[in-house]
Amino acid sequence: MENKIILAHGSGGKLSHDLVKNTFLSRLDNPWLAKLDDSAVVDIEGKVAFTTDSYVVSPIFFPGGDIGRLAVCGTVNDLSMSGARPLYLSLSLIIEEGLPLADLEKIVVSIQKTADEAGVKVVAGDTKVVQHGTADKLFINTSGIGVIAARVDISGANARPGDAIIINGPIGDHGIAVMSQREGLRFSSQLESDCAPLNNLVADMLAACRDIRCLRDPTRGGLATTLNELAGQSEVGMEIYEGNVPVRPAVRAMCEILGLDPVHVANEGKLVAVVPAGDAERVLAMMKRNRYGAESAIIGQVTAEHPGRVVMKTRLNTSRIISMLVGDLLPRIC
Amino acid sequence: MENKIILAHGSGGKLSHDLVKNTFLSRLDNPWLAKLDDSAVVDIEGKVAFTTDSYVVSPIFFPGGDIGRLAVCGTVNDLSMSGARPLYLSLSLIIEEGLPLADLEKIVVSIQKTADEAGVKVVAGDTKVVQHGTADKLFINTSGIGVIAARVDISGANARPGDAIIINGPIGDHGIAVMSQREGLRFSSQLESDCAPLNNLVADMLAACRDIRCLRDPTRGGLATTLNELAGQSEVGMEIYEGNVPVRPAVRAMCEILGLDPVHVANEGKLVAVVPAGDAERVLAMMKRNRYGAESAIIGQVTAEHPGRVVMKTRLNTSRIISMLVGDLLPRIC
């Protein structure tokens, strides 16, 4: 019993305080958390980006990451996609009674490592515990705030005809890596999730070009859904060259077996950038020098034709419309 | 099927977008949410308070409130307890497949009404859907940011010997109201949760006295846990007069039947304030004019003796030590 989470860990009383002190504060140590007040108080000035995401990935440990790394990366990336420099995260856990304390500790360590890598601080937190059978091991919410530099104006509504569309590497790794661990589907694979914090990559890109129009991370719904969102918000068309979209052979093979299209499979360390055509090569060269952009590629362009639609030019030189994900491809992928 | 949440509502694809548009944007309409970018961008200056909480209350509708009102009040109150003026909230939902869409809509309406009452905007959101049996209907995370006025310095560590301890009304209403609805315990009761946003009350209090030392909302763990936290953080003792602590007769009766001490039962519209003795009557008078402070009372004082301990002077003029909640009183009360 001592090695598992019990309901009293979520009571708000003595055991909650012990858990916070022994499991969280010992690892996520910083002056904001240590104060144990109702809110963290931080100094910020200017345009502030604010975002939230809950993570329900199953299983909570997967090749290339875990729910903790995912929760930090996801929120760091959402802030980065607004052109913000991520600064502070909150961390809220819903734990199913019975979770081994060792699993929780491994995840807190992973959170700390990923936060260190991204240069963000976890400044506020909350823990709830629910009865066995009323959650699935662990759900994590991270919210985050960051600051946006002057002159940066990134939005899904800013794409213009002629702009280039860039991705920072092969698509579908996260979805297939998590899928490979699922009950009934377990298959051996060298494939790892691409789960990574992209804020430093975005900082490099902004150093190369202040006029980046759109940034978005193609997570749930995959590249296809993200491109459709951008085309819709900006009221433009998009043309993608299938031959330019990087996909690892293992992902392509698994997608064929499972009947999936890689453009609909989730990523957790990818971003789509829309940049003025004249800046595209400079941004691309800068991206390739970053560890999370080595396999970056220009995959298409923004068009005035067919606003709201994304068209894929295939290797056979035919065209097909790429739609948003419809239905439910891979539940609990993030 | 059309009237229930299905997994595809959380896919990130077409059905997710429809849900956001039809259920969330139609009610929580504001320019930040409407942009549908990865982060909300807001203008803020100065000391920023940042907080998070996940809500797992069961049942999701209870006398005097629901999980939506609770989620807004809880985070508004956490910000208020730092002396901040709450401005922006994020809203992240984990929905169990099969939740009636009508229930979700009722809760979104309740969120909007409560946010309006508190004068805050829901500017960022996220929705995940998990398989039936892997969550319990609905969990909500709200995070929030607010600004702290110059010269306000409120912290759990600021109580000083001689200070007065004030509460804004009777304790235990929320815990007993939720309890009254539980499986196997259902009893008829006129009692309602005290769930309320306290930011306007705090603004009134700060107008009466800038030097408020500590504010804290006695939620999980109740008044006793909050007082112990403050005594510990400030390294002071506290003396509470039992006869001065307001408790409704219905709450007292239910606590006796259930073997609970009202000082350990959760509240969702209460705050404990520690204020300089000389300002106590002025603050109290101001509180009594607010709808959420009509039954406010001075319940005790801060002492130099027995640092870290809270002592209750009973009606019989004996003393007993009031400890933090130990064990698990009422799981999923918030």
Side-chain angles (χ1 to χ4, degrees):
Chain A
M1 190 166 125
E2 269 180 30
N3 299 320
K4 297 197 172 202
I5 294 290
I6 61 173
L7 284 171
H9 282 116
S11 65
K14 180 78 174 59
L15 268 186
S16 299
H17 282 76
D18 292 349
L19 184 72
V20 166
K21 214 168 70 180
N22 301 332
T23 302
F24 295 107
L25 283 188
S26 64
R27 295 181 176 86
L28 303 172
D29 189 32
N30 66 55
W32 296 277
L33 261 195
K35 284 192 88 171
L36 292 176
D37 276 332
D38 283 305
S39 311
V41 178
V42 297
D43 279 302
I44 293 192
E45 229 165 287
K47 279 205 291 186
V48 172
F50 180 35
T51 192
T52 190
D53 253 318
S54 288
Y55 300 86
V56 297
V57 66
S58 168
I60 58 175
F61 297 98
F62 50 80
D66 57 67
I67 192 172
R69 179 166 172 84
L70 187 66
V72 173
C73 292
T75 292
V76 161
N77 292 349
D78 275 347
L79 291 170
S80 306
M81 296 310 122
S82 299
R85 187 161 61 90
L87 294 174
Y88 304 108
L89 297 191
S90 65
L91 174 70
S92 182
L93 294 91
I94 298 173
I95 308 176
E96 183 191 19
E97 180 188 18
L99 181 77
L101 202 53
D103 283 358
L104 180 62
E105 284 173 351
K106 245 190 279 180
I107 285 164
V108 176
V109 168
S110 171
I111 287 169
Q112 181 54 34
K113 276 191 189 159
T114 312
D116 281 349
E117 183 190 345
V120 296
K121 299 283 179 197
V122 176
V123 297
D126 178 48
T127 305
K128 295 291 192 305
V129 180
V130 299
Q131 301 93 330
H132 183 71
T134 61
D136 190 4
K137 294 189 179 71
L138 177 62
F139 301 145
I140 298 184
N141 176 281
T142 48
S143 299
I145 53 185
V147 283
I148 301 181
R151 292 203 302 116
V152 169
D153 178 24
I154 291 170
S155 166
N158 290 355
R160 298 180 207 170
D163 288 348
I165 303 169
I166 308 179
I167 194 158
N168 64 320
I171 60 170
D173 293 8
H174 177 75
I176 298 299
V178 172
M179 195 76 164
S180 75
Q181 300 302 302
R182 289 281 179 86
E183 214 70 42
L185 283 167
R186 211 158 290 181
F187 51 84
S188 93
S189 151
Q190 302 297 332
L191 202 70
E192 296 204 329
S193 165
D194 59 341
C195 184
L198 299 177
N199 51 327
N200 294 324
L201 176 64
V202 170
D204 288 353
M205 294 167 69
L206 282 169
C209 170
R210 281 266 144 177
D211 299 325
I212 293 174
R213 316 264 205 221
C214 320
L215 288 173
R216 188 154 298 173
D217 50 341
T219 56
R220 281 184 295 180
L223 176 64
T225 300
T226 291
L227 292 174
N228 273 280
E229 286 172 1
L230 299 177
Q233 281 182 254
S234 295
E235 297 171 25
V236 294
M238 290 189 172
E239 208 168 73
I240 304 298
Y241 306 103
E242 189 178 25
N244 293 14
V245 178
V247 186
R248 291 187 205 288
V251 169
R252 195 182 297 284
M254 279 315 306
C255 280
E256 272 172 27
I257 291 168
L258 297 168
L260 305 175
D261 188 331
V263 298
H264 285 131
V265 180
N267 311 277
E268 289 293 342
K270 292 296 167 302
L271 60 78
V272 172
V274 177
V275 303
D279 298 323
E281 288 296 341
R282 195 169 67 248
V283 172
L284 185 69
M286 190 64 129
M287 290 171 75
K288 285 186 168 174
R289 286 202 289 270
N290 186 291
R291 65 181 291 203
Y292 296 128
E295 297 170 83
S296 297
I298 297 175
I299 59 170
Q301 61 185 343
V302 179
T303 64
E305 294 85 58
H306 53 83
R309 292 223 156 164
V310 180
V311 172
M312 174 91 86
K313 295 280 183 192
T314 69
R315 285 189 176 80
L316 304 172
N317 209 21
T318 60
S319 294
R320 61 181 176 110
I321 289 175
I322 299 291
S323 338
M324 257 188 205
L325 175 63
V326 179
D328 164 41
L329 191 62
L330 301 167
R332 300 186 55 197
I333 210 69
C334 61
Chain B
M1 190 165 122
E2 268 179 32
N3 299 321
K4 298 197 171 200
I5 294 290
I6 61 173
L7 284 172
H9 281 116
S11 67
K14 180 77 172 60
L15 268 186
S16 298
H17 283 77
D18 292 350
L19 183 72
V20 166
K21 213 169 72 179
N22 300 332
T23 301
F24 295 107
L25 284 189
S26 63
R27 295 182 175 87
L28 303 172
D29 189 32
N30 65 57
W32 296 277
L33 261 195
K35 286 193 85 171
L36 291 177
D37 278 330
D38 284 305
S39 311
V41 178
V42 298
D43 280 301
I44 293 194
E45 230 165 287
K47 279 204 292 185
V48 172
F50 180 34
T51 192
T52 190
D53 254 317
S54 288
Y55 300 86
V56 298
V57 67
S58 169
I60 58 176
F61 298 98
F62 49 81
D66 57 68
I67 190 171
R69 180 166 172 83
L70 186 65
V72 173
C73 292
T75 292
V76 161
N77 292 350
D78 275 346
L79 291 170
S80 306
M81 297 309 122
S82 300
R85 188 161 60 89
L87 294 173
Y88 304 108
L89 297 191
S90 65
L91 174 69
S92 181
L93 294 91
I94 298 173
I95 308 176
E96 184 190 21
E97 180 187 19
L99 181 78
L101 203 52
D103 283 359
L104 180 62
E105 285 173 351
K106 244 189 280 180
I107 285 164
V108 176
V109 168
S110 171
I111 287 169
Q112 181 54 33
K113 275 190 190 160
T114 313
D116 281 349
E117 183 190 346
V120 296
K121 298 285 180 197
V122 176
V123 297
D126 178 50
T127 306
K128 295 291 192 305
V129 181
V130 299
Q131 300 94 329
H132 182 73
T134 61
D136 191 5
K137 294 188 180 70
L138 177 62
F139 300 146
I140 298 184
N141 176 281
T142 49
S143 299
I145 52 186
V147 284
I148 300 181
R151 294 202 299 117
V152 169
D153 178 25
I154 290 170
S155 166
N158 290 354
R160 298 181 208 169
D163 288 348
I165 303 169
I166 308 180
I167 194 158
N168 65 320
I171 61 171
D173 292 9
H174 177 75
I176 298 299
V178 172
M179 196 76 164
S180 75
Q181 300 301 302
R182 290 282 179 85
E183 213 71 40
L185 284 166
R186 211 158 290 182
F187 51 86
S188 93
S189 150
Q190 302 296 334
L191 203 68
E192 297 204 329
S193 166
D194 58 343
C195 186
L198 299 177
N199 51 326
N200 294 324
L201 176 63
V202 170
D204 288 353
M205 293 167 69
L206 282 169
C209 170
R210 282 266 145 177
D211 300 324
I212 292 173
R213 316 264 205 221
C214 320
L215 288 173
R216 187 152 298 173
D217 49 341
T219 56
R220 279 184 296 180
L223 175 64
T225 300
T226 290
L227 293 175
N228 273 280
E229 287 172 1
L230 298 177
Q233 281 181 254
S234 295
E235 298 172 21
V236 294
M238 289 188 172
E239 208 168 74
I240 304 297
Y241 306 103
E242 189 177 26
N244 293 14
V245 177
V247 186
R248 290 187 205 288
V251 169
R252 195 182 299 284
M254 279 315 308
C255 281
E256 271 171 27
I257 291 167
L258 297 167
L260 305 175
D261 188 331
V263 298
H264 285 131
V265 179
N267 311 277
E268 288 294 341
K270 292 296 168 302
L271 60 78
V272 172
V274 178
V275 304
D279 298 323
E281 288 297 341
R282 195 169 67 248
V283 172
L284 185 70
M286 190 65 128
M287 290 172 74
K288 285 186 167 174
R289 287 202 289 270
N290 186 292
R291 65 182 288 204
Y292 295 128
E295 297 170 82
S296 297
I298 297 175
I299 59 169
Q301 61 185 345
V302 179
T303 63
E305 294 85 57
H306 54 82
R309 294 224 155 162
V310 180
V311 172
M312 175 90 87
K313 296 277 183 195
T314 69
R315 285 189 176 81
L316 305 171
N317 209 19
T318 60
S319 293
R320 61 182 176 111
I321 289 175
I322 299 292
S323 340
M324 258 190 205
L325 176 63
V326 178
D328 164 41
L329 191 61
L330 300 167
R332 299 185 54 196
I333 210 69
C334 62

